[in-house]
Amino acid sequence: QQQVKQSPQSLIVQKGGISIINCAYENTAFDYFPWYQQFPGKGPALLIAIRPDVSEKKEGRFTISFNKSAKQFSLHIMDSQPGDSATYFCAASRSNFGNEKLTFGTGTRLTIIP
Amino acid sequence: KAGVTQTPRYLIKTRGQQVTLSCSPISGHRSVSWYQQTPGQGLQFLFEYFSETQRNKGNFPGRFSGRQFSNSRSEMNVSTLELGDSALYLCASSLIITGNTGELFFGEGSRLTVL
C-alpha cells in the first residue's frame, strides 16, 4: 500500500524557471514531511522539511507548501539551475518515539535545461 | 565529522547465496535504518535499530535480517538471494530525540547485483 503518492515522475524545466513537485499522503498520523535530493551515485540528502503546524516553509530557493486538509504538500524550486538536476523524493513519518521510519514517494527526476 | 559509511559499495552474487552489508553511522547517532532502493519500487523501508534493538520492520520476507552492535554499527543480511533482490541498499543514521524526528543521514549505499 503506497501511502505517499508523488508526481510527476519526471520533469524538465528551463533554467530560471519554477520547478514544482507534488505529493499526497493518506495517513493522517503523519506529522513530519521532508524532501530529499539524490544525485546519481549518492545517497539521498535532506533538502527541506515541514511540520503541519505551518503552511509554508522557505529556505533559499526551495519552498514547501503544505495543505493539511487536502493531505498534500509540494516542493517549489525557484530560479531553477542546472545544478538542481537530480531526483527528488518526498517522504512522511510520525515523530513519536519509535515510529520515525520514513515512507517515501516514488521520486521525480528533475532536469534543468539551459 | 565523518558521514555514514557503507561497505562494500558494489557486489555481485548468484541466486541462492547470502550477503552481509555493513554500515557505520555518524559518531553519536544511535539509530540506524536500512532502505532498499529499486527503479520500480523506489525507497522501501527495511528495518530500524536503536540501541541494539530492532524498533521497526518493513514488509520484507524473513530472508532479510539485521542487527546492531554496541558501537551502533549495523549489518544487514540477505539469505537465499533472488534476482529481485538486486538493488541499492541504503543505510541511514539519525540522532533520535524523543518526540522530534531527527534528520536521516544516508550513506552512498551498497549496490547488490544478483545473477
Side-chain angles (χ1 to χ4, degrees), chain A residues 60-80:
Chain A
R61 296 185 294 109
F62 301 91
T63 300
I64 298 179
S65 297
F66 184 80
N67 185 329
K68 188 174 181 178
S69 61
K71 294 188 286 185
Q72 295 175 346
F73 59 110
S74 59
L75 175 69
H76 295 233
I77 305 174
M78 311 300 286
D79 188 26
S80 299

Side-chain angles (χ1 to χ4, degrees), chain A residues 3-22:
Chain A
Q3 296 189 42
V4 179
K5 295 183 179 179
Q6 183 173 348
S7 63
Q9 194 171 16
S10 62
L11 181 62
I12 299 174
V13 175
Q14 205 146 26
K15 179 182 174 183
I18 303 173
S19 304
I20 302 174
I21 304 171
N22 301 299

Side-chain angles (χ1 to χ4, degrees), chain B residues 48-96:
Chain B
E48 185 249 352
Y49 287 87
F50 180 79
S51 295
E52 301 179 67
T53 301
Q54 186 182 88
R55 296 196 304 169
N56 278 300
K57 190 176 190 304
N59 296 323
F60 280 82
R63 301 185 295 107
F64 292 81
S65 63
R67 59 177 175 169
Q68 186 181 34
F69 302 96
S70 59
N71 61 358
S72 293
R73 191 177 68 85
S74 178
E75 289 180 347
M76 68 163 284
N77 184 78
V78 187
S79 62
T80 320
L81 285 166
E82 301 177 358
L83 295 178
D85 297 333
S86 295
L88 180 67
Y89 290 89
L90 291 161
C91 169
S93 75
S94 180
L95 180 65
I96 295 291

Side-chain angles (χ1 to χ4, degrees), chain A residues 68-106:
Chain A
K68 188 174 181 178
S69 61
K71 294 188 286 185
Q72 295 175 346
F73 59 110
S74 59
L75 175 69
H76 295 233
I77 305 174
M78 311 300 286
D79 188 26
S80 299
Q81 298 297 311
D84 297 331
S85 297
T87 300
Y88 292 80
F89 294 92
C90 62
S93 75
R94 300 169 58 183
S95 57
N96 58 306
F97 188 70
N99 285 290
E100 299 94 346
K101 65 176 182 177
L102 285 173
T103 299
F104 283 90
T106 50

Side-chain angles (χ1 to χ4, degrees), chain A residues 25-42:
Chain A
Y25 63 98
E26 299 170 4
N27 189 344
T28 55
F30 287 149
D31 60 1
Y32 175 68
F33 303 90
W35 284 88
Y36 280 80
Q37 180 188 55
Q38 185 177 29
F39 292 104
K42 301 293 185 181

